[in-house]
Amino acid sequence: MNKEIAEKKLYSLLSLAQKAGMLKSGEFACETAFKAREVKLVIVCEDASDNTKKKFSQKAFFYERPYYVFGSKAGLAASLGKENRATCVITEQGFASKIEQLLKTYGQDEGKEDA
């Protein structure tokens, strides 16, 4: 699959999950979702700070959730209709499975915890 097409599909699916209420974005909302044990999949943007990447990779590792680094803050913010978004979590398993499948097709590997 063409990288550009896969990226558009992913952003469209993230947008759909947002509209369905199955996606939380922004650092505070994502942390709240982790505490409520709602998280099924974690996505952090490639241009997020190293601190943000480390924080969410450790949370994903601790709660045993898949973690991916994908896309840009501008792309994520545009697809969600919000500003300044570097992180998002999917809270429904069906969306999480489909998005994870697309991420793997796109060539992304699941992230590992940073020590």
Side-chain angles (χ1 to χ4, degrees):
M1 179 182 291
N2 182 327
K3 181 178 178 179
E4 196 173 297
I5 293 170
E7 192 170 326
K8 283 182 181 181
K9 282 187 175 186
L10 271 164
Y11 282 133
S12 293
L13 202 51
L14 289 173
S15 177
L16 189 61
Q18 166 82 16
K19 288 175 185 160
M22 306 296 176
L23 180 144
K24 308 277 188 207
S25 64
E27 199 166 325
F28 181 76
C30 291
E31 287 179 356
T32 303
F34 267 111
K35 289 176 186 171
R37 299 199 179 266
E38 298 174 334
V39 175
K40 306 297 183 211
L41 175 72
V42 182
I43 299 173
V44 178
C45 294
E46 293 169 358
D47 55 353
S49 72
D50 290 340
N51 188 37
T52 299
K53 289 178 186 174
K54 182 175 182 179
K55 177 193 283 187
F56 282 95
S57 71
Q58 288 176 338
K59 283 189 177 297
F61 178 78
F62 179 80
Y63 288 100
E64 299 177 345
R65 297 294 178 239
Y67 165 82
Y68 289 89
V69 177
F70 164 78
S72 66
K73 291 193 275 188
L76 181 62
S79 70
L80 300 180
K82 304 201 179 218
E83 291 184 12
N84 299 326
R85 296 292 187 243
T87 60
C88 70
V89 296
I90 310 302
T91 60
E92 195 271 328
Q93 190 58 52
F95 272 114
S97 297
K98 183 61 178 170
I99 291 168
E100 187 170 15
Q101 179 186 355
L102 272 173
L103 283 163
K104 288 179 179 178
T105 302
Y106 177 70
Q108 297 295 110
D109 292 325
E110 186 174 344
K112 303 293 180 218
E113 179 200 16
D114 294 333

